[in-house]
Amino acid sequence: DTGVSQDPRHKITKRGQNVTFRCDPISEHNRLYWYRQTLGQGPEFLTYFQNEAQLEKSRLLSDRFSAERPKGSFSTLEIQRTEQGDSAMYLCASSFREGPDTQYFGPGTRLTVL
Amino acid sequence: AQSVSQHNHHVILSEAASLELGCNYSYGGTVNLFWYVQYPGQHLQLLLKYFSGDPLVKGIKGFEAEFIKSKFSFNLRKPSVQWSDTAEYFCAVNAAGNNRKLIWGLGTSLAVNP
């Protein structure tokens, strides 16, 4: 399977704990995106990278959230001091830079904060 | 600010019925338009997209959508639905150019009864 992969698929944590998610994009894609989706809603943009540069961050991304893409390949999204409101599906997508881009999505990481 | 509105949140149809899901967006500039589908238990998949050219675009599984610029609309259609079309459908938009983040509608849940 050469699609976008995410790990873990499910994460249950207690409030106040830190969690980290990983996304591996499609290999030739140099743009990588993070979205968050809650029940009954469409995905909401969090941040995106072109290669290793983080080019845009949503105001939704509070200072407890940090994302990295250190070598322009995989990316991590860390949430510090988790809150119950952080419970959501965290989606990663990737695209290829040339021309109008189509984003391809991974299966997501479902976070439950108890 | 950009926004996307999907008119129908829940649709129930019988097999062989025709489908039309409404999508309107709010943005003054040139846009790229997408419909994604999420089958139960699966990740978001691209159904079809419009970047430029013929405003009637055809996607996978017999779906099509028509971009009407004057109405800021990109409605999804299928002449005859099947039980396997049961899924969540999302309309998404991004601004053509450097701003790549997708802005999403709330989604439409489609249930097709056999």
Side-chain angles (χ1 to χ4, degrees):
Chain A
D1 184 18
T2 57
V4 178
S5 62
Q6 292 187 245
D7 184 69
R9 296 288 304 275
H10 304 274
K11 179 71 177 179
I12 300 174
T13 191
K14 293 181 179 179
R15 189 176 54 185
Q17 298 294 304
N18 299 344
V19 294
T20 300
F21 310 141
R22 176 179 170 127
C23 171
D24 286 87
I26 294 170
S27 60
E28 66 268 26
H29 287 185
N30 57 358
R31 286 181 180 256
L32 186 147
Y33 309 78
W34 286 98
Y35 293 86
R36 181 173 67 186
Q37 185 178 21
T38 52
L39 207 58
Q41 303 289 318
E44 296 174 294
F45 170 78
L46 293 178
T47 187
Y48 91 92
F49 293 83
Q50 182 170 306
N51 300 312
E52 66 275 10
Q54 188 173 21
L55 297 187
E56 186 173 352
K57 289 172 59 173
S58 165
R59 285 172 291 178
L60 292 173
L61 216 63
S62 75
D63 56 6
R64 296 184 298 105
F65 288 71
S66 62
E68 294 183 340
R69 195 182 182 198
K71 297 183 179 179
S73 56
F74 72 91
S75 175
T76 57
L77 177 69
E78 182 183 16
I79 308 174
Q80 296 182 328
R81 305 181 303 281
T82 52
E83 302 172 356
Q84 288 185 326
D86 297 331
S87 295
M89 178 74 86
Y90 289 84
L91 300 170
C92 178
S94 70
S95 70
F96 185 60
R97 181 170 171 263
E98 296 298 328
D101 56 0
T102 298
Q103 296 176 28
Y104 296 90
F105 283 80
T109 295
R110 180 167 297 283
L111 173 66
T112 302
V113 182
L114 302 176
Chain B
Q2 297 173 50
S3 66
V4 176
S5 171
Q6 291 184 238
H7 313 303
N8 318 95
H9 295 299
H10 300 281
V11 174
I12 301 173
L13 295 173
S14 298
E15 275 194 316
S18 64
L19 171 71
E20 180 160 2
L21 301 182
C23 173
N24 286 87
Y25 66 93
S26 171
Y27 182 69
T30 303
V31 294
N32 301 316
L33 298 149
F34 306 83
W35 276 97
Y36 282 85
V37 61
Q38 189 166 27
Y39 298 103
Q42 297 187 27
H43 59 278
L44 283 162
Q45 301 174 36
L46 181 69
L47 202 53
L48 48 76
K49 61 189 177 186
Y50 173 80
F51 292 151
S52 64
D54 188 344
L56 184 62
V57 292
K58 295 190 183 299
I60 60 172
K61 304 186 179 185
F63 286 90
E64 65 178 31
E66 184 176 13
F67 171 47
I68 303 179
K69 189 175 181 180
S70 61
K71 295 185 178 180
F72 297 89
S73 70
F74 190 55
N75 292 353
L76 181 71
R77 299 192 292 249
K78 185 171 184 178
S80 176
V81 295
Q82 300 173 324
W83 175 79
S84 59
D85 292 325
T86 295
E88 190 88 16
Y89 292 81
F90 292 94
C91 180
V93 169
N94 68 5
N98 291 326
N99 186 351
R100 305 289 181 166
K101 66 183 180 185
L102 286 170
I103 306 299
W104 299 76
L106 293 179
T108 297
S109 174
L110 171 66
V112 180
N113 295 323

